[in-house]
Coordinates of all heavy atoms in Angstrom, one line a residue:
R1 N -2.1 -37.2 -13.9 CA -1.4 -37.2 -12.6 C -0.7 -35.9 -12.4 O -0.6 -35.4 -11.3 CB -0.3 -38.4 -12.6 CG -0.9 -39.8 -12.5 CD 0.1 -40.8 -12.5 NE 0.9 -40.8 -11.3 CZ 2.0 -41.5 -11.0 NH1 2.5 -42.3 -12.0 NH2 2.6 -41.4 -9.9
I2 N -0.1 -35.3 -13.5 CA 0.6 -34.0 -13.5 C -0.5 -33.0 -13.0 O -0.2 -32.1 -12.2 CB 1.1 -33.7 -14.8 CG1 2.4 -34.5 -15.1 CG2 1.6 -32.2 -14.9 CD1 2.9 -34.4 -16.5
T3 N -1.7 -33.0 -13.6 CA -2.7 -32.1 -13.3 C -3.1 -32.2 -11.9 O -3.3 -31.1 -11.1 CB -4.0 -32.3 -14.2 OG1 -3.5 -32.2 -15.6 CG2 -5.0 -31.3 -13.9
I4 N -3.3 -33.4 -11.4 CA -3.6 -33.6 -10.0 C -2.6 -33.1 -9.0 O -2.9 -32.4 -8.0 CB -3.9 -35.1 -9.7 CG1 -5.2 -35.5 -10.5 CG2 -4.0 -35.4 -8.2 CD1 -5.4 -37.1 -10.5
Q5 N -1.3 -33.3 -9.4 CA -0.2 -32.9 -8.5 C -0.1 -31.4 -8.4 O 0.0 -30.8 -7.3 CB 1.1 -33.5 -9.0 CG 2.2 -33.2 -8.0 CD 3.4 -34.1 -8.3 OE1 4.0 -34.0 -9.3 NE2 3.7 -35.0 -7.3
F6 N -0.3 -30.7 -9.5 CA -0.1 -29.2 -9.4 C -1.4 -28.5 -8.9 O -1.2 -27.6 -8.2 CB 0.3 -28.7 -10.8 CG 1.8 -29.0 -11.1 CD1 2.1 -29.8 -12.2 CD2 2.8 -28.5 -10.3 CE1 3.4 -30.1 -12.5 CE2 4.1 -28.8 -10.6 CZ 4.5 -29.6 -11.7
C7 N -2.5 -29.0 -9.3 CA -3.7 -28.3 -8.9 C -4.1 -28.7 -7.5 O -4.7 -27.9 -6.8 CB -4.9 -28.7 -9.9 SG -4.7 -28.0 -11.5
G8 N -3.7 -29.9 -7.0 CA -4.1 -30.3 -5.7 C -3.1 -29.8 -4.6 O -3.5 -29.9 -3.4
S9 N -2.0 -29.3 -5.0 CA -1.0 -28.9 -4.0 C -0.8 -27.4 -3.8 O 0.0 -27.0 -2.9 CB 0.4 -29.5 -4.3 OG 0.9 -29.0 -5.6
K10 N -1.5 -26.6 -4.5 CA -1.3 -25.1 -4.5 C -2.3 -24.5 -3.6 O -3.4 -24.9 -3.4 CB -1.4 -24.6 -5.9 CG -0.5 -25.3 -6.9 CD 0.9 -25.1 -6.7 CE 1.4 -23.8 -7.2 NZ 0.9 -23.6 -8.7
K11 N -1.9 -23.3 -3.1 CA -2.9 -22.4 -2.4 C -2.7 -21.0 -3.0 O -1.7 -20.5 -3.3 CB -2.5 -22.4 -0.9 CG -2.8 -23.7 -0.2 CD -4.3 -24.0 -0.2 CE -4.7 -25.3 0.5 NZ -6.1 -25.5 0.6
S12 N -3.9 -20.3 -3.0 CA -4.0 -19.1 -3.8 C -3.8 -17.9 -2.9 O -4.5 -17.6 -2.0 CB -5.4 -19.0 -4.4 OG -5.6 -17.7 -5.1
L13 N -2.7 -17.2 -3.3 CA -2.4 -15.9 -2.6 C -3.5 -14.9 -3.0 O -3.9 -14.0 -2.2 CB -1.0 -15.4 -3.0 CG -0.5 -14.1 -2.4 CD1 -0.2 -14.3 -0.9 CD2 0.7 -13.6 -3.1
A14 N -3.9 -14.9 -4.3 CA -4.8 -13.9 -4.8 C -6.2 -14.0 -4.1 O -6.8 -13.0 -3.9 CB -5.0 -14.1 -6.3
N15 N -6.6 -15.2 -3.8 CA -7.9 -15.4 -3.0 C -7.6 -15.2 -1.5 O -8.5 -14.7 -0.8 CB -8.4 -16.8 -3.2 CG -9.0 -16.9 -4.6 OD1 -8.3 -17.0 -5.6 ND2 -10.3 -17.0 -4.7
G16 N -6.5 -15.6 -1.0 CA -6.3 -15.6 0.4 C -6.2 -14.2 1.0 O -6.7 -13.9 2.1
L17 N -5.4 -13.3 0.3 CA -5.3 -12.0 0.9 C -6.6 -11.2 1.0 O -6.8 -10.6 2.1 CB -4.2 -11.2 0.0 CG -2.8 -11.7 0.2 CD1 -1.9 -10.9 -0.8 CD2 -2.3 -11.6 1.6
P18 N -7.4 -11.2 0.0 CA -8.7 -10.4 0.1 C -9.6 -11.1 1.2 O -10.2 -10.4 2.0 CB -9.4 -10.6 -1.2 CG -8.3 -10.8 -2.1 CD -7.2 -11.6 -1.4
L19 N -9.6 -12.4 1.3 CA -10.4 -13.1 2.3 C -9.9 -12.7 3.7 O -10.6 -12.5 4.7 CB -10.3 -14.6 2.1 CG -11.2 -15.2 1.0 CD1 -10.9 -16.6 0.8 CD2 -12.7 -15.0 1.4
A20 N -8.5 -12.7 3.9 CA -7.9 -12.3 5.2 C -8.4 -10.9 5.6 O -8.6 -10.7 6.8 CB -6.4 -12.4 5.1
T21 N -8.4 -10.0 4.7 CA -8.8 -8.6 5.1 C -10.3 -8.6 5.6 O -10.6 -7.6 6.3 CB -8.6 -7.7 3.9 OG1 -9.5 -8.0 2.8 CG2 -7.2 -7.7 3.4
V22 N -11.1 -9.5 5.1 CA -12.5 -9.6 5.5 C -12.7 -10.4 6.9 O -13.4 -10.0 7.7 CB -13.4 -10.2 4.4 CG1 -14.8 -10.3 4.9 CG2 -13.3 -9.4 3.2
L23 N -11.9 -11.5 7.0 CA -12.2 -12.4 8.1 C -11.5 -12.0 9.4 O -11.9 -12.4 10.4 CB -11.7 -13.8 7.7 CG -12.6 -14.5 6.6 CD1 -12.0 -15.8 6.2 CD2 -14.0 -14.7 7.0
F24 N -10.3 -11.3 9.2 CA -9.6 -11.0 10.4 C -9.6 -9.6 10.8 O -9.7 -8.7 10.0 CB -8.0 -11.5 10.2 CG -7.8 -12.9 10.0 CD1 -7.7 -13.4 8.7 CD2 -7.7 -13.7 11.1 CE1 -7.5 -14.8 8.5 CE2 -7.6 -15.1 10.9 CZ -7.4 -15.6 9.7
P25 N -9.5 -9.3 12.1 CA -9.4 -7.8 12.6 C -8.1 -7.2 12.0 O -7.1 -7.9 11.6 CB -9.2 -8.0 14.1 CG -9.7 -9.3 14.5 CD -9.5 -10.2 13.3
A26 N -8.2 -5.9 11.7 CA -7.1 -5.2 11.0 C -5.7 -5.5 11.7 O -4.7 -5.7 11.0 CB -7.4 -3.7 11.0

């Protein structure tokens, strides 16, 4: 339950920032 709570509720800044530079206009 602890694993589910922490892994299921988080969002990755490390993945999000690179993806944003690719997907969105500057």
Side-chain angles (χ1 to χ4, degrees):
R1 291 181 69 191
I2 291 172
T3 302
I4 291 167
Q5 187 163 64
F6 287 118
C7 292
S9 64
K10 310 290 282 306
K11 289 295 179 179
S12 175
L13 182 72
N15 288 73
L17 290 175
L19 283 169
T21 64
V22 177
L23 293 175
F24 295 98

